[in-house]
Each structure stands twice: as C-alpha cells, then as structure tokens.
Amino acid sequence: MTDRDTRVVGVGALGRVEGEGALRLSLRGDEVEHAALSIYEPPRFFEAFLRGRGHTEPPDLTSRVCGICPVAYQMSACQALEDACGVVVGGQLAALRRLMYCGEWIESQTLHVYLLHAPDFLGCDSLFDLAASHRADVERGLRLKQAGNAVVELLGGRAIHPVSARLGGFHRVPSVEELRPVAARLRQAMEDAARTVRWVSGFDFPDAGCDHDLLALAAPGTYAIEGGVPTVMDAPGLHGLRADSGQPLPTRTFGLRDFGRHVVEHQVPYSTALHSRLDGRRHLTGSLARFAISGRELSPTARQAAREAGLGDPAEGAVCRNPYRSIVVRAVEVLYAVEEALRIIDAYEPPSRPFVDVPPRAGVGHGATEAPRGLLYHRYRLDGTGTVLEADLVPPTAQNQGAIEEDVRRAVHGRLGEGTATDGELASLSERAIRNHDPCISCSAHFLDLTVERG
Amino acid sequence: MTADPAGGTAPAPGEDADGRPSLAVWKFASCDGCQLTVLDCEEELVALAGAVRVSYFLEASTEAGEGPYDLSLVEGSVTTPQDLARIAHVRRVSRRLVTIGACATAGGVQALRNFAEVGDFLSVVYARPDYIATLADSTPVSAHVPVDLELRGCPIDRGQLLEVITAYLAGRSPDVPRHSVCFECKRRGTVCVTVARGVPCLGPVTHAGCGALCPAYGRGCYGCFGPSDSTNFGAFVPLLRRDGMDTLDVVRVLRTFNAAAPEFAAVSRREEAR
C-alpha cells in the first residue's frame, strides 16, 4: 500500500443479502477515494405500471416489490391510499394490522439475525455450515422464525405475499379460537427470543460507529411499527461527538405530507436504485434509528433484555451507533414483537366487519411504516374514480445506501491504517459492513418520479 | 434418472464425496420471495442441508461453489442484456433446471411493461434513463433455454417446492397437478364465492397449487399461479361481467403477476380492444 496509484477492489456479488448488488472500492494509498455500492438488481418499474391501476390494487401489487417484507408494502400502501380517501382505520382492525406486522418483524428480522448476519460472527459461510457447527442455535432460530410466519399465515393465508390485507382492513379476520394455537406458539417463542438476545450479545463486536442522521417513525406511547411521525436524530458529528458515541441527541419531526420535501432522491450512474438524502445530509433508517428514537417505548421485558445485552438503558434514551451491534438491536426488537403480538391477541375481540369501506375520491395520500429494514414511504395521487395517477415508493435500503457506503469507507480506512490488507480481506470486511444494515436490494431498485436531474 | 430434456448437453452429475447431489439457486428479476420459500421450509431445512449440497445460493451463502449442478432452481424473469448470457450459462451448468414462480415462468409483475413502451416507464422512474440497461420485455426463462419443470405461483407453494426436490432426490417425477384452483377449493370444503356471493373469482381458469387460499379468506382468486391447463375464457369472461366487472376490471384482473402468460395476455388484449 505504499504506491500512490489507485487500487480498485471489487466485490463481485454480495452474498447473504436480499437481492443483487456489488461493491467497488477505489483506494489511493491508505485513503478510500470512493466506495460505490452498485445495485444491479434489474429495474422493475413499479411506479410506472401502478399508474392507471385501481385504488384497491396497490396493496397486492406492491407487496411484490419484496418477498422478505411484503406486509410492510401492503401496510404502507393501505395507509397512503386510505389517507388519500380520507378514511382512518382504527380499533381492532388497526390492532390486527399491527399483529400481522409483528409477525413479519419476527420472521424477517430472525431471518437476518440467524441466516444472514450471524454467520459473519461465527466464521461460517452460511446457515448450512452453521447448522453443522451450531445446530441447537439454528434450530432455535428456525423455530422463532416459524412463530412469526405462523402469525402472518393465520392472518394472511401465507407468509410470503399474504392475501388477506385490503383497503379498510382485511378480507377475513380470525376468530378468537383460531388465534389460540398461535398464542401458544408465541409464548414458547418468548423464551427463544430472549435466548436469541443473550446469544448474539456474546458475539465479538468490532469497535465502530456511524456518523449519520437517524430517521425513524415515532408514535406516542408505543414502539412505532405500523405508523407514526417521521423523526430525525442528529448525527454525533454535528455536536462534536465521535461516531461511536452512545449519547442521545436532539430530535426534530416533520409531517408525513412533507416527506418528499425532506427526503430527496437522486440517481447515480452505478446503481439501479436511487440514492436519497434527508435535508441534504446522509441518513440511516432501520433498527439502530428506531432504537435510538423509540427505545423508551419498548416493553419492560425488552428494555431489560437490552440492558443485559449491553445496549444501555432504553428508558434513559440509550443509543447504539455501532452498526455491528445492530444484530443485538434486531434481536431485542424480535423479543418486543413476540410480546406485543401476544398482548394484541390477549386483547382481541373480532370486529363486526372485517373492513371499513374506502370509497375513492380525488386526492393525494401518504403512508409510512417501519419495515424490518427501516422506514418505507408510499405516496399516491388518485382521480375521482380511484385511478392511480402517480405512485412513489421510497424503501429503506434506497435511503440507507449513502450510510452503507460511508460505513464501508470508514471500515476500510480504519483497516488500512493498521497495515497492509489483501483485496480479499478488504472485500470481506466491506461485505460485513454492508450486511450490518440488512440491505434489501430488490426493494431498492425501483423508484420515484424525480424532480432533480443530475449530470 | 430420466433422459435429459436439454438434448444431452447436461454435464455429469455434480455429486460430492458423500454422494450428495448439488443444488443451486439463481436469481433474475424478482422479489426474492420464491427463493425465500426455500428458507421458509423451517422444519425441513436442516434435513435438506444434509441431503443435498447447497452449492450456489447467494442469498443464503457467501460460498459460491463451482458447477455443474444436479438441480438448479431459477427465480426471476429475463429483463436485461446480461441476463441473456447468464441464463444460457445456468442451463449449461445444470443437469435439471426448474423455474420457481411467476417471474421465471411467465415474466412476473414486471412483464406489465410488455403492454407499454418501456422508454416511457424508464423516464417515469429514472431521471437518467441512459444509465439503465433494460430489455423492452420481461420474459420467462423458457423463452431462452429449455426448462425441465416450471413451478407456478407468486410466490411458489412450499409443499410443491419440497415435492420437486424430494422427487428428484428419489429419482421419480414430481407430482404437480395442473388443474384449476376450483378442485382445491372443493377439497378444502370452501363454499364457492362466485356461486354463493357473486364475487368475481379467477379460480376456474387458474392453475392449482396454493391450496385455494383466497376463497378461504373471503375473496376471489386473483390468479397468482397463472392459467391452468384447461381454461375456457369464452365461457369465463361473461361470468366476470355478470358479477359486476367492466372491461377495465377484466383487463386489470388478468394483468397482474402472470400478465404475460400467453392465455391471460391474449384475453386481456382482446378485451382491451373491445
């Protein structure tokens, strides 16, 4: 690394992430000139073909953006379309939506924790290797994932692209009796989830921080999942703090209607996903942001698990800015989601109708929910018959690309400061820095009507 | 072992030292839901990992083994110039190639572009369309290479996937019925939503495999498994109209996840031209 020529390191195809991406690092000496996360996932043009569809169709159509978080797409779409039509869904129907979302959090976050992320800490290539060396752990993870799938399957018929969600609620709601076996399974899952937090908290975490603004939804009195107000916590660098600071920092909020004025997307030549910036700055959504902004709203059980796992006390506003530890935060969120699902089931009384009517009207509607990987925003403009005139989808991974590239840059820079590193070592270090954020690449490769043209 | 349908170009089996056949999972344009179905086989996954060598499965593993592979599962449709070369490669290194899901089998939801000008779509989504390489149409794998079996569904059914894998492991033909969803509805004991409630339902023209989920959840089938092998649209479309659908509704309901499946595409084009 003594010559001054540019050295290029390529990671051809990222493994253990959802979708297709690659990374290109340009190095000059110890400096990282550029870390480019190249998403070559082919574009699928959702925003384009949604134009001309009926207002009842986007929940089913947009769930196909992502097989790993279809419920998130259905829920953001329903919320945005109901907003456009001036309908608010409350009571038990709203509770059932949260229950279904908890199911997706459990299965999708457990998938990342055990199948995609844990192998990085245990020196394995995959779940299949892990099954040989850590069979009991893998079986626990699969059981826990299955408990989440059971929730989505009961409410939605199947775990991937469930069929029951619709505008105004559901095509069908469960009976109290049908929920009983799911509740029994969730009670068993509480133990698996608690053990998962303890298991991952014992992993060996590199020292690291992230100097990004954090963006998550916040809702009074609850850990925001299926709705809330966009809330931003400053990056530590703005306050003269180190990137790995655990200090809570001031937050600000903005209305969902103004989302497009704050989060602005732009295109880069090396990616089919649009990048975005929040008020002109790099930002991060997802588990670390939610924990920082809503940690106080976690249940006492989840708060205690977080404290014991070394994340600090969420009741005191603990913030975790080490992206490697996001696996611990995800495990705490899974524990919370299991408990929350049980709470909703215990309080459940079947609504008199499975849905409320959502008659179309001309207008614009906004919706945002916390997909497992972060804030997912939808906007639709309808005409008076309900025909979709415009659709915008802003998924979390598109928002996180800038933060992911900066994390890679920081990790590689730190490593080069310690001495010579092979391309292979830098590549695997970079892959780990990317997987910390559980990128969902299929989601990120289809976007928006753009207002900004970049040359 | 059955004869190789690719015309004798298949390589020797890729069994490892333990005699385990090798499995590869490939992704083209898709949502990942069908390959996620592999990981959703929670109860069978550990046994599966013992019975086959998972040689290439990027979503689940950073290890990329060398081909050839005994069984390749292909998710996603062909939408870019690079995909054309890649699918030919997949065929070359695969003894058996099974497409999994509506994208790989019929072009998927992204085949809605086939009914529009792709240039218009590009400019809606991207400010700099010149950065994006894409083909005008989204096409199924079978449009480019011979396919041994197509598994339907958006997403595929977990039970059908396991049936295909175990059948190939046992050296027998997979049992994947091609009749309509109506058969599954009867078997499930669900009251017909069309007959009893006048709800439009694609069940009579849709390929079985899901277990007739939608009628059991109070809605009409939306055709996510694509056309069955015995459709009669001449009789079926008037039923949709009787139950309240106008021409636009009929076109929309046929143009979702299997829009480019030949039977659905022909009827939606005909209706649109009315």
Side-chain angles (χ1 to χ4, degrees):
Chain A
M1 294 311 304
T2 49
D3 70 67
R4 305 301 295 166
D5 292 331
T6 297
R7 169 183 171 198
V8 175
V9 179
V11 184
L14 301 170
R16 274 186 282 123
V17 299
E18 188 286 336
E20 303 209 303
L23 181 79
R24 186 183 165 90
L25 285 174
S26 304
L27 310 175
R28 183 174 285 273
D30 290 352
E31 292 302 312
V32 182
E33 287 189 324
H34 193 39
L37 176 63
S38 160
I39 288 181
Y40 54 88
E41 181 77 27
R44 293 192 290 146
F45 306 109
F46 276 82
E47 285 91 342
F49 68 64
L50 284 166
R51 293 183 176 186
R53 303 299 300 217
H55 78 304
T56 58
E57 295 189 287
D60 285 329
L61 288 171
T62 63
S63 74
R64 270 65 181 187
V65 172
C66 180
I68 293 192
C69 56
V71 173
Y73 277 85
Q74 294 180 343
M75 296 299 158
S76 283
C78 285
Q79 193 193 107
L81 291 156
E82 288 157 7
D83 180 48
C85 300
V87 172
V88 176
V89 174
Q92 288 291 338
L93 290 173
L96 278 178
R97 282 183 168 174
R98 185 170 172 87
L99 175 61
M100 189 154 162
Y101 220 136
C102 283
E104 178 160 289
W105 267 35
I106 296 165
E107 56 96 358
S108 187
Q109 304 241 56
T110 301
L111 171 83
H112 188 257
V113 166
Y114 279 88
L115 277 60
L116 309 184
H117 207 185
D120 277 341
F121 296 93
L122 300 168
C124 299
D125 282 324
S126 74
L127 153 87
F128 308 107
D129 299 339
L130 209 58
S133 60
H134 295 72
R135 181 155 183 155
D137 295 317
V138 167
E139 285 177 345
R140 180 178 61 239
L142 292 174
R143 246 187 348 255
L144 186 53
K145 180 169 168 302
Q146 209 172 15
N149 276 349
V151 174
V152 182
E153 283 167 7
L154 175 68
L155 292 177
R158 61 188 174 198
I160 301 169
H161 306 325
V163 303
S164 68
R166 55 161 289 164
L167 287 195
F170 293 86
H171 288 285
R172 177 188 188 276
V173 293
S175 66
V176 170
E177 292 71 31
E178 286 174 316
L179 283 166
R180 272 199 198 108
V182 174
R185 193 164 205 162
L186 288 167
R187 273 189 284 276
Q188 289 173 350
M190 281 295 289
E191 176 56 25
D192 284 335
R195 290 187 59 181
T196 301
V197 179
R198 289 199 291 277
W199 183 58
V200 298
S201 70
F203 291 171
D204 189 17
F205 299 104
D207 292 327
C210 55
D211 190 27
H212 322 306
D213 292 345
L214 301 175
L215 170 65
L217 298 174
T222 188
Y223 199 74
I225 299 177
E226 78 288 10
V229 178
T231 303
V232 187
M233 181 179 283
D234 286 350
L238 275 177
H239 297 266
L241 296 169
R242 287 162 47 110
D244 59 358
S245 165
Q247 196 165 315
L249 291 170
T251 59
R252 66 181 191 277
T253 63
F254 56 85
L256 202 49
R257 275 161 204 290
D258 298 324
F259 190 89
R261 288 205 290 117
H262 291 275
V263 177
V264 177
E265 299 202 300
H266 62 276
Q267 194 181 354
V268 295
Y270 53 81
S271 182
T272 52
L274 303 182
H275 280 225
S276 62
R277 290 172 81 77
L278 168 60
D279 295 328
R281 291 169 47 80
R282 182 178 68 235
H283 71 289
L284 178 71
T285 74
S287 294
L288 293 182
R290 288 191 293 256
F291 184 76
I293 285 164
S294 295
R296 283 187 177 83
E297 306 292 351
L298 286 168
S299 64
T301 314
R303 289 203 304 263
Q304 187 184 338
R307 279 197 307 276
E308 290 172 4
L311 291 174
D313 189 351
E316 303 290 325
V319 175
C320 171
R321 291 194 178 87
N322 182 338
Y324 293 92
R325 283 187 190 271
S326 65
I327 192 171
V328 185
V329 178
R330 272 189 205 97
V332 169
E333 290 191 328
V334 169
L335 176 63
Y336 172 78
V338 173
E339 195 183 14
E340 180 69 358
L342 276 168
R343 188 191 64 74
I344 294 168
I345 292 174
D346 284 345
Y348 178 63
E349 290 170 20
S352 54
R353 282 184 72 205
F355 59 89
V356 296
D357 293 323
V358 184
R361 69 175 195 193
V364 176
H366 310 262
T369 64
E370 284 290 340
R373 285 146 202 83
L375 193 154
L376 169 62
Y377 169 80
H378 285 214
R379 181 182 77 94
Y380 298 94
R381 190 158 71 83
L382 305 179
D383 72 11
T385 67
T387 300
V388 175
L389 301 176
E390 284 170 22
D392 297 340
L393 317 176
V394 184
T397 293
Q399 300 180 66
N400 287 348
Q401 284 182 106
I404 291 171
E405 288 180 349
E406 171 59 16
D407 278 13
V408 169
R409 194 200 61 74
R410 184 181 285 268
V412 171
H413 177 72
R415 176 62 191 83
L416 292 175
E418 294 168 7
T420 310
T422 64
D423 283 7
E425 190 185 344
L426 293 180
S428 72
L429 182 70
S430 301
E431 279 206 86
R432 287 193 64 178
I434 293 167
R435 275 197 291 273
N436 283 336
H437 296 293
D438 190 8
C440 191
I441 289 174
S442 293
C443 282
S444 60
H446 1 81
F447 306 78
L448 242 239
D449 70 333
L450 292 164
T451 48
V452 189
E453 169 99 10
R454 318 268 160 151
Chain B
M1 289 286 142
T2 53
D4 172 53
T9 57
E15 291 180 356
D16 65 3
D18 305 330
R20 293 184 306 169
S22 56
L23 174 75
V25 182
W26 307 87
K27 174 180 159 63
F28 290 79
S30 67
C31 78
D32 272 39
C34 291
Q35 53 175 318
L36 181 63
T37 304
V38 179
L39 301 178
D40 268 0
C41 300
E42 290 99 352
E43 284 175 5
E44 299 83 5
L45 204 54
V46 174
L48 180 69
V52 301
R53 182 161 52 97
V54 182
S55 297
Y56 183 84
F57 189 0
L58 209 51
E59 173 161 346
S61 177
T62 43
E63 182 197 34
E66 294 272 308
Y69 309 98
D70 288 298
L71 174 61
S72 274
L73 303 176
V74 179
E75 172 190 273
S77 65
V78 173
T79 65
T80 68
Q82 297 84 346
D83 287 349
L84 294 168
R86 203 155 63 91
I87 193 62
H89 167 74
V90 171
R91 178 68 265 186
R92 272 197 306 277
V93 297
S94 306
R95 183 173 170 78
R96 286 205 176 80
L97 190 164
V98 174
T99 62
I100 53 170
C103 296
T105 302
V109 73
Q110 56 274 17
L112 288 171
R113 74 169 74 170
N114 303 9
F115 301 88
E117 285 295 321
V118 75
D120 297 345
F121 271 27
L122 261 173
S123 61
V124 168
V125 181
Y126 296 99
R128 289 292 303 267
D130 51 311
Y131 291 168
I132 307 293
T134 191
L135 298 172
D137 285 349
S138 168
T139 44
V141 172
S142 63
H144 307 281
V145 297
V147 170
D148 295 75
L149 183 77
E150 296 180 318
L151 262 192
R152 305 291 199 88
C154 182
I156 53 168
D157 176 71
R158 183 163 49 194
Q160 287 200 335
L161 175 67
L162 287 169
E163 165 60 17
V164 167
I165 295 172
T166 51
Y168 283 154
L169 283 174
R172 63 174 172 83
S173 301
D175 177 19
V176 181
R178 302 176 63 193
H179 54 60
S180 76
V181 169
C182 292
F183 288 76
E184 296 190 308
C185 227
K186 299 295 165 288
R187 188 183 297 168
R188 192 171 179 141
T190 304
V191 173
C192 177
V193 295
T194 299
V195 171
R197 291 166 44 207
V199 173
C201 176
L202 289 189
V205 295
T206 297
H207 195 286
C210 67
L213 282 180
C214 285
Y217 277 75
R219 69 185 292 188
C221 164
Y222 62 67
C224 71
F225 274 62
S228 73
D229 68 348
S230 57
T231 57
N232 180 357
F233 281 97
F236 178 67
V237 171
L239 270 184
L240 295 179
R241 293 185 183 281
R242 182 200 70 186
D243 291 328
M245 283 194 159
D246 62 18
T247 298
L248 180 61
D249 295 329
V250 173
V251 172
R252 280 175 175 166
V253 81
L254 292 171
R255 284 195 186 158
T256 61
F257 321 110
N258 292 279
E263 297 90 332
F264 282 9
V267 179
S268 76
R269 286 189 197 280
R270 193 169 70 221
E271 290 297 308
E272 196 174 40
R274 283 165 75 100

